[in-house]
Amino acid sequence: MRKIPRQPAAPPPAPQPADKPKNLQNVNIPDITLPENLAEKQTLLKPHIERSHDIINRPFSIGTQQPVDAYAIYINGVIDTDTFNAGILRPLMIYAEDGAKAGSQNPELPEYIARTLLTVGQFRKIDRLADLVRDIYDGMLIIMLEGSSPALAIDIHKAHLRAIEEPPAERGLRGSREGFIESLDVNISMVRRRLRDPKLVVKKTVVGQRTHTQVAILYIEDIADPNIVAEIETRINAINVDGIEASGRLEQFIQDRPWSLFYQHRLTEKPDKAVMQILEGRVLIVIDGTPTTITAPSLFVEFFQAPGDYYELTWVGSFIRLLRYLAFFLAISTSALYIAVVNFQPELIPTELLVPIARFRNQVPFPVVLEILILEVMMQLVIEAGHHLPGNVGQTVGVVGGIIMGQAAITARFASPAAVIVASFSAMCTFVLPSPGIALVSRILRLPMILAAASFGAVGFALMWLVLLTHLISLTSIGVPYMSPLAPTRYSDLKDSFIRSFLTSMQKRPVSIPSQDKVRQAGQEVTGNR
């Protein structure tokens, strides 16, 4: 296991900001020790900040009896100026120093200031130029002193936070209405509030040569498999790019098969879902600046599960889950089956239905495959337009646009009514799927299914499904079989795959996800009227 590189520790009483891996240090900045002379420090720093007019240099004097020259350096608009003025600048300028700690040549002055005068929570000493420049652009407040080589890096970021609200892509009728936001620390606190376990481990690192994006991995120490945790850490630390600004980009760097169409990690914006994933032995990856978190490893069956399944009665949750599997199959297969039957096996269609289909088909100048493809393109354009327009406008465009374009296609003889119904039904099935990722996959897979059915009929349709299932069986997520508990078969996990069994019967964690502690709950006797 490759350990995450660490920077020098902060003073014991104060917590330390996120550690920075050594491979993220900017090679263009000399990694030299800071001099004691304040003017020399400014000279070394000037080439790296003089082109940034939003960087403020604030000279001031520390103390009243034997003043010590100092400089405060920060990015305007990033730090909390009220905290800076009241909690840092004012105490430093007016304090009455004693004889033992006074003087501009006292090397212990930064330590004394940090321990006795600063009322902020997070700070650390830095004595390297590369660290100094990096911390400035990380949004830290820097205090440089005359006569002391180390500078103080103080974290007083101003909080510009979006309100915590329900994620639009993961709405549910029951359960929590909270969703993650773009703040790493707030998201971690939302998990902590639900999972009050001292064994919950939070490890932070930084990804991106230029963005220095903070990334945290969360797991329960005595549940998560150490090999999986080590593998995830290794993959994250191996990322060497200019910037990572969202979970979707990081996910592509750590997945087992980057060329696969299927998402190999589950994304979520709901803290309650993330906590349940951690309790099953998975690792949660939280990225600063994005509300979407990653859980790994993940299984194919999880993309058909939703937190609401476990808030409903067993029979209700099982029915809804089976409906999702059926919707996935129909979303991919309906258009292809229509083409295969009309072109190759029309005898399978009842006569009462075949006659009107044939009558309307005679008015369409295109072959049935081109007719379906035209409708599919129209439907995909309407769906994308609805996604990218504002909420109310998008819904209106989706409904009105679909109706108008479908009617116009029939009137203009571009498509028959049966083809419009088939294409609309296929699109509707994608909206049943709870995961946006699996919904997108179903929209894409529809095209090769259509082409295979148009070329070889039912045989081509069956072969495409065989290729699809073979590919799914070959996939892994952090080394865990993607199609488990189906392939390989884990019989004990089938109770929470196609159906949702009784919660009292789920006494052990999923065997498909490696974990140290297999017991989830002790046996519980169900009482009631017999």
Side-chain angles (χ1 to χ4, degrees):
M1 169 180 172
R2 188 177 70 184
K3 296 184 178 178
I4 300 178
R6 301 284 182 179
Q7 292 292 334
Q16 183 169 331
D19 297 328
K20 309 290 197 292
K22 294 179 180 179
N23 60 359
L24 291 180
Q25 294 180 359
N26 195 326
V27 296
N28 297 322
I29 303 174
D31 189 18
I32 59 177
T33 302
L34 294 173
E36 294 184 355
N37 185 271
L38 183 59
E40 293 180 7
K41 284 197 281 279
Q42 291 175 294
T43 302
L44 290 175
L45 185 60
K46 183 178 179 181
H48 306 290
I49 65 172
E50 62 181 351
R51 291 178 297 276
S52 301
H53 295 176
D54 59 336
I55 295 181
I56 307 300
N57 294 270
R58 202 322 188 162
F60 65 99
S61 296
I62 298 177
T64 57
Q65 300 177 11
Q66 301 182 42
V68 177
D69 292 335
Y71 254 88
I73 303 174
Y74 59 91
I75 299 178
N76 189 31
V78 175
I79 71 165
D80 188 338
T81 54
D82 292 336
T83 301
F84 170 57
N85 293 327
I88 297 176
L89 196 58
R90 177 181 171 83
L92 291 180
M93 294 179 68
I94 68 174
Y95 96 99
E97 64 273 21
D98 55 39
K101 299 298 180 183
S104 62
Q105 300 300 319
N106 185 1
E108 298 180 3
L109 185 59
E111 183 76 15
Y112 175 77
I113 289 174
R115 290 183 178 274
T116 61
L117 298 178
L118 297 184
T119 59
V120 295
Q122 296 187 8
F123 64 88
R124 68 190 185 105
K125 293 194 301 182
I126 48 177
D127 58 0
R128 312 292 294 182
L129 178 62
D131 293 340
L132 179 65
V133 175
R134 185 195 61 216
D135 283 351
I136 291 175
Y137 287 100
D138 278 351
M140 308 287 280
L141 168 67
I142 303 297
I143 303 293
M144 298 191 306
L145 309 175
E146 174 65 44
S148 299
S149 174
L152 293 175
I154 307 170
D155 186 2
I156 52 171
H157 281 82
K158 181 187 295 184
H160 299 283
L161 302 180
R162 176 172 61 89
I164 297 175
E165 53 192 11
E166 185 176 14
E170 296 183 89
R171 296 186 181 274
L173 297 178
R174 302 179 65 177
S176 173
R177 294 289 190 269
E178 289 186 338
F180 290 125
I181 61 174
E182 287 74 16
S183 172
L184 177 75
D185 293 329
V186 172
N187 292 343
I188 293 175
S189 69
M190 294 173 71
V191 175
R192 284 280 190 191
R193 185 157 53 86
R194 288 170 170 80
L195 192 53
R196 303 178 180 91
D197 188 348
K199 294 291 187 179
L200 177 63
V201 178
V202 178
K203 290 184 178 180
K204 289 185 179 181
T205 184
V206 174
V207 177
Q209 289 277 359
R210 298 184 183 275
T211 60
H212 290 178
T213 304
Q214 291 190 49
V215 177
I217 62 172
L218 287 72
Y219 62 93
I220 299 179
E221 187 176 17
D222 57 349
I223 295 180
D225 186 276
N227 295 325
I228 290 180
V229 174
E231 180 63 24
I232 292 175
E233 288 183 358
T234 300
R235 295 187 186 188
I236 292 177
N237 288 331
I239 299 174
N240 188 10
V241 294
D242 282 348
I244 292 289
E245 77 285 353
S247 56
R249 288 177 62 89
L250 186 139
E251 179 192 13
Q252 297 178 57
F253 283 99
I254 64 173
Q255 59 188 357
D256 292 21
R257 301 280 185 88
W259 52 267
S260 176
L261 183 62
F262 288 87
Y263 289 82
Q264 293 152 48
H265 303 107
R266 196 176 182 186
L267 306 178
T268 181
E269 296 183 39
K270 293 182 68 67
D272 57 339
K273 183 191 294 187
V275 168
M276 296 309 298
Q277 296 285 301
I278 295 175
L279 288 173
E280 290 188 345
R282 295 173 176 84
V283 176
L284 179 68
I285 305 173
V286 187
I287 300 92
D288 190 31
T290 177
T292 306
T293 61
I294 304 171
T295 56
S298 296
L299 308 177
F300 177 73
V301 297
E302 294 176 19
F303 292 91
F304 298 89
Q305 301 172 359
D309 297 351
Y310 304 93
Y311 303 148
E312 304 287 353
L313 296 176
T314 300
W315 306 111
V316 177
S318 298
F319 172 76
I320 295 175
R321 189 172 295 179
L322 287 173
L323 198 63
R324 294 182 189 133
Y325 282 102
L326 178 62
F328 177 72
F329 174 80
L330 293 177
I332 298 175
S333 306
T334 303
S335 297
L337 285 175
Y338 174 76
I339 295 173
V341 171
V342 170
N343 277 357
F344 294 90
Q345 288 91 20
E347 65 277 4
L348 298 178
I349 305 176
T351 305
E352 295 81 1
L353 186 59
L354 180 60
V355 171
I357 290 178
R359 184 172 68 250
F360 283 107
R361 279 286 309 138
N362 289 333
Q363 300 174 2
V364 179
F366 309 115
V368 64
V369 60
L370 185 57
E371 176 188 14
I372 290 293
L373 288 175
I374 291 175
L375 290 174
E376 287 291 342
V377 171
M378 293 170 57
M379 292 298 300
Q380 297 303 326
L381 291 176
V382 170
I383 293 173
E384 284 302 308
H387 285 167
H388 295 288
L389 290 173
N392 295 333
V393 178
Q395 295 177 6
T396 304
V397 170
V399 175
V400 178
I403 295 174
I404 293 176
M405 293 180 68
Q407 184 62 41
I410 296 174
T411 304
R413 303 294 190 267
F414 274 95
S416 63
V420 172
I421 293 174
V422 168
S424 303
F425 180 74
S426 299
M428 185 62 65
C429 287
T430 62
F431 301 140
V432 178
L433 303 174
S435 170
I438 202 68
L440 288 172
V441 169
S442 67
R443 289 166 56 187
I444 298 174
L445 286 176
R446 204 176 300 156
L447 179 60
M449 285 289 181
I450 289 173
L451 297 178
S455 302
F456 305 104
V459 175
F461 173 77
L463 287 176
M464 275 304 302
W465 264 105
L466 179 61
V467 171
L468 176 61
L469 292 175
T470 302
H471 172 65
L472 286 171
I473 293 173
S474 68
L475 289 179
T476 58
S477 175
I478 315 294
V480 175
Y482 189 62
M483 281 297 287
S484 183
L486 305 177
T489 305
R490 312 289 190 188
Y491 292 100
S492 60
D493 290 351
L494 293 176
K495 64 179 68 175
D496 193 25
S497 53
F498 292 110
I499 62 171
R500 201 223 82 187
S501 184
F502 297 97
L503 294 180
T504 53
S505 67
M506 300 181 189
Q507 299 179 7
K508 294 185 178 181
R509 293 184 174 84
V511 180
S512 304
I513 303 297
S515 60
Q516 302 180 70
D517 185 1
K518 299 297 183 182
V519 179
R520 172 159 44 191
Q521 61 183 359
Q524 180 176 350
E525 181 180 355
V526 180
T527 61
N529 295 331
R530 300 290 183 181

